[in-house]
Amino acid sequence: MKKTILLLGIILLLSSFKTDTAIEIPSGEKLVYAGSYNMSGLMTQLAQVTLSTEMVNTSNKSYLHLNCELATFAKWDKFFKIRDTYEAYVNPTTLKPSLYKRNIEEGGWTKKEKYVFKGNSVTSTSKRKNCPETTKTFTIGNSTQDVVSLMYKLRTLDFDKMKVGQSQSFVIVFDEVQVPVTIKLLGNETISAGNLGSKNCYKLSIGAKTDVLKGKDKNLIYLTADSKKIPALMKFSIPVGTGQLALTSATGI
């Protein structure tokens, strides 16, 4: 069940085609999703996922704070309570990360992570429940990102210049390792996008060299085919079942 609501496995595993630098992620945006899991053949809503952005100013720099919170609905807490938070502090223009934090609370299991990005290196600090804190420094490539900033980076890309079936491989940092990921454009499809109504969307499949995601073209993300590229729907397939994130509300876009 821990991996069941590892919904970020879908939100995140994306990036690095040609960037349309005219598009910037706005501060003050808030996207709310209903998280569902297939239980006995029925897609059942279990949790809410909220993505939000805000500008944060320090004495010498400004960052765009990207925040993702996942919480099971109250009626499911007694079965398996989840309170997860993923955060990234990035350059507002390039979305290059400087800091990534992850705080996981799932059914009594906890984990806290912090990643500090400096040039081509990352220093990670990790603390699991009942385990000593560990620190690790490793080298990354110029385009390697954390899972949260990668999702927003995807929205700055020009999919109109891609052909159906075109794919590209790249790398993300997750669980203190670098994970190769591939994204492929499958075409366009009309999707219900919450308060935005029905939207023509880019349909993308995500593949990663990890045990978290399963199946060929079974992990999908649909981005509105407009200048906003709002994630309208995400579907995931993992070892213990399938699920989805469906947009219910988009404000500040």
Side-chain angles (χ1 to χ4, degrees):
M1 187 74 174
K2 293 172 185 175
K3 291 184 178 180
T4 299
I5 312 291
L6 186 55
L7 301 177
L8 269 292
I10 294 300
I11 297 180
L12 26 74
L13 302 175
L14 318 152
S15 119
S16 161
F17 292 101
K18 184 176 180 181
T19 300
D20 183 351
T21 54
I23 300 172
E24 292 189 4
I25 304 300
S27 174
E29 179 185 85
K30 183 178 181 180
L31 308 176
V32 181
Y33 298 85
S36 303
Y37 179 67
N38 193 329
M39 301 177 68
S40 302
L42 296 176
M43 199 63 72
T44 304
Q45 290 189 7
L46 301 176
Q48 178 173 289
V49 175
T50 303
L51 302 176
S52 59
T53 65
E54 65 172 345
M55 288 298 299
V56 175
N57 299 313
T58 67
S59 59
N60 57 0
K61 284 188 179 181
S62 294
Y63 297 96
L64 184 62
H65 177 211
L66 311 174
N67 190 65
C68 176
E69 296 182 354
L70 188 158
T72 43
F73 295 125
K75 67 178 180 179
W76 295 105
D77 281 349
K78 61 183 178 181
F79 298 104
F80 195 84
K81 183 178 180 179
I82 295 177
R83 296 293 187 271
D84 293 351
T85 303
Y86 297 74
E87 300 177 85
Y89 293 81
V90 303
N91 181 295
T93 303
T94 66
L95 302 185
K96 187 175 180 62
S98 293
L99 177 65
Y100 164 74
K101 295 192 293 184
R102 179 186 179 202
N103 189 352
I104 305 299
E105 297 182 25
E106 300 181 353
W109 181 80
T110 64
K111 182 179 182 180
K112 292 185 178 181
E113 289 182 305
K114 182 174 74 173
Y115 294 69
V116 178
F117 291 76
K118 290 186 177 181
N120 286 346
S121 72
V122 172
T123 299
S124 65
T125 304
S126 179
K127 177 69 172 68
R128 290 180 171 86
K129 183 178 181 179
N130 299 326
C131 295
E133 185 176 271
T134 62
T135 300
K136 180 180 179 181
T137 299
F138 50 94
T139 301
I140 60 172
N142 289 329
S143 61
T144 301
Q145 293 187 247
D146 65 86
V147 296
V148 179
S149 64
L150 195 52
M151 174 59 192
Y152 286 89
K153 179 77 170 180
L154 176 68
R155 293 170 54 190
T156 70
L157 309 180
D158 191 351
F159 293 103
D160 289 332
K161 294 183 179 179
M162 292 177 56
K163 297 179 180 179
V164 173
Q166 182 179 343
S167 62
Q168 184 169 333
S169 298
F170 52 97
V171 177
I172 63 168
V173 176
F174 193 71
D175 273 341
E176 299 177 280
V177 297
Q178 296 188 77
V179 180
V181 176
T182 300
I183 179 173
K184 179 169 63 175
L185 177 64
L186 299 180
N188 288 62
E189 189 172 327
T190 300
I191 296 294
S192 176
N195 64 317
L196 302 180
S198 295
K199 289 286 187 178
N200 178 35
C201 293
Y202 301 112
K203 181 180 181 180
L204 309 168
S205 70
I206 306 121
K209 293 183 178 180
T210 171
D211 292 333
V212 174
L213 303 180
K214 294 293 184 182
K216 182 179 180 181
D217 294 342
K218 297 293 185 180
N219 296 285
L220 305 170
I221 182 168
Y222 298 81
L223 300 180
T224 58
D226 53 30
S227 62
K228 303 295 185 182
K229 297 187 180 70
I230 302 297
L233 177 66
M234 291 161 270
K235 297 182 178 181
F236 61 91
S237 178
I238 57 179
V240 293
T242 60
Q244 68 177 34
L245 288 176
L247 181 69
T248 59
S249 174
T251 55
I253 58 176

